[in-house]
Amino acid sequence: MRAILALTSLLAALVLTGCTEEARESLRPSRTGCYFTTGAGETHLTAEQASNAATIAAVGLRDGMDERAVAVAITTAMQESELVNVNYGHDDSLGLFQQRPSMGWGTEEELMDPVYASFKFYEKLRRTDGWEDMTLAEAAQEVQVSAYPELYRQWEDEATVIAAVFAGGLDGGIGCVKGSADVVAFDPAALAEAYAYQWGGEVSEAEGSTVVIDPSDAAAGWNRAAWAVARSYDFGIASVAYGGMVWAAGEDGWSEPDAEADGEAAVEIANDSHAAVIITFAAA
């Protein structure tokens, strides 16, 4: 109660004194997490949710599934776990998709691995006849056999936006600012290992403070750039460059660097990024 009264008094004082823009800014909540923007709309995820969504998308693309399949998977995980890899659920359900060891999905350890859990989801989706012609919610239900199938519908629009960014080759559709995930010491080799596990391919370079990924085309490049931005909290990533554009840690958008404002090094990286995704790390 005292805290509320103090804040109320502060607000009143600011109003009476003409409240400067600087003071107003200090009272605004800090932007956190990751922001997704497409022509179809906008949505927001926490750093943890975005990282898990990026993994789901990478596994789907790795295994030959398309953007729509990724949207089905993300719709499902948003309903089942809110895109958080929880180690509990109804009966023995657990993980991103709340899959059950007792129903043959895998062991507890396997289902707590987002890569394995995503693989198992797509495996069943692929075996579902006609899923491509279903709504996202209907396809999710065919895989999950939920007692509450109508609940999947509420996530369709958000999942469509997220899938477009992670699997649709959309340029600059994601930016991440301040996150709550624990930041680990930067390690290009660890990111390269994660990339190989999730995408099923190798990076072209992982040394010093840089990882370079050579995509097959522009769509693949933006998919991998989005994945890297979403993993920025996990791996201490300072910037991601692709297509002549750069995203920097703490920014919710991509920009074309300017030599005067950002320095010659930033412009050089952006120029080199037309053909490759260039990931740089924060200082140790």
Side-chain angles (χ1 to χ4, degrees):
M1 181 61 71
R2 290 177 182 170
I4 293 174
L5 290 174
L7 179 58
T8 301
S9 298
L10 174 60
L11 289 171
L14 288 170
V15 169
L16 290 173
T17 58
C19 185
T20 66
E21 180 57 36
E22 183 179 348
R24 284 194 294 270
E25 185 62 32
S26 69
L27 292 172
R28 293 189 183 108
S30 298
R31 288 165 64 81
T32 63
C34 299
Y35 295 81
F36 298 77
T37 305
T38 73
E42 299 179 354
T43 193
H44 167 266
L45 295 177
T46 66
E48 181 180 11
Q49 289 173 317
S51 179
N52 286 326
T55 297
I56 290 170
V59 173
L61 295 176
R62 177 197 74 183
D63 294 342
M65 305 301 281
D66 61 10
E67 179 184 341
R68 184 167 179 77
V70 171
V72 173
I74 291 176
T75 295
T76 305
M78 291 182 83
Q79 171 56 33
E80 297 294 347
S81 67
E82 296 185 351
L83 282 171
V84 176
N85 195 32
V86 294
N87 61 356
Y88 57 84
H90 178 68
D91 291 332
D92 60 337
S93 300
L94 72 167
L96 288 176
F97 297 95
Q98 289 292 281
Q99 295 152 326
R100 298 179 60 186
S102 64
M103 299 301 290
W105 285 96
T107 66
E108 290 186 8
E109 182 178 3
E110 287 172 333
L111 297 180
M112 285 302 297
D113 175 0
V115 173
Y116 178 89
S118 298
F119 163 74
K120 295 301 288 185
F121 179 88
Y122 290 119
E123 183 180 57
K124 186 171 180 182
L125 180 65
R126 187 183 285 108
R127 297 198 308 263
T128 301
D129 291 337
W131 73 265
E132 300 93 337
D133 299 320
M134 300 176 187
T135 66
L136 302 183
E138 288 169 345
Q141 172 62 10
E142 286 295 312
V143 175
Q144 298 294 105
V145 194
S146 170
Y148 306 98
E150 70 282 357
L151 295 180
Y152 294 117
R153 289 199 300 268
Q154 66 186 311
W155 305 109
E156 289 181 322
D157 290 345
E158 290 181 65
T160 298
V161 170
I162 295 165
V165 171
F166 282 133
L170 180 73
D171 22 343
I174 179 176
C176 299
V177 285
K178 209 168 148 188
S180 57
D182 293 334
V183 177
V184 298
F186 86 89
D187 187 348
L191 180 67
E193 183 178 351
Y195 179 81
Y197 184 40
Q198 296 185 20
W199 286 95
E202 302 295 328
V203 303
S204 62
E205 180 184 328
E207 57 184 51
S209 60
T210 304
V211 167
V212 178
I213 299 169
D214 288 317
S216 57
D217 55 32
W222 281 112
N223 292 341
R224 285 151 179 78
W227 176 86
V229 172
R231 308 310 304 273
S232 60
Y233 301 117
D234 301 333
F235 293 98
I237 293 172
S239 68
V240 179
Y242 184 66
M245 305 289 284
V246 176
W247 168 85
E251 299 294 331
D252 63 354
W254 292 67
S255 62
E256 185 175 346
D258 176 79
E260 186 174 339
D262 303 304
E264 295 290 345
V267 174
E268 183 177 351
I269 289 173
N271 290 336
D272 291 342
S273 74
H274 280 285
V277 179
I278 301 176
I279 303 163
T280 58
F281 293 80

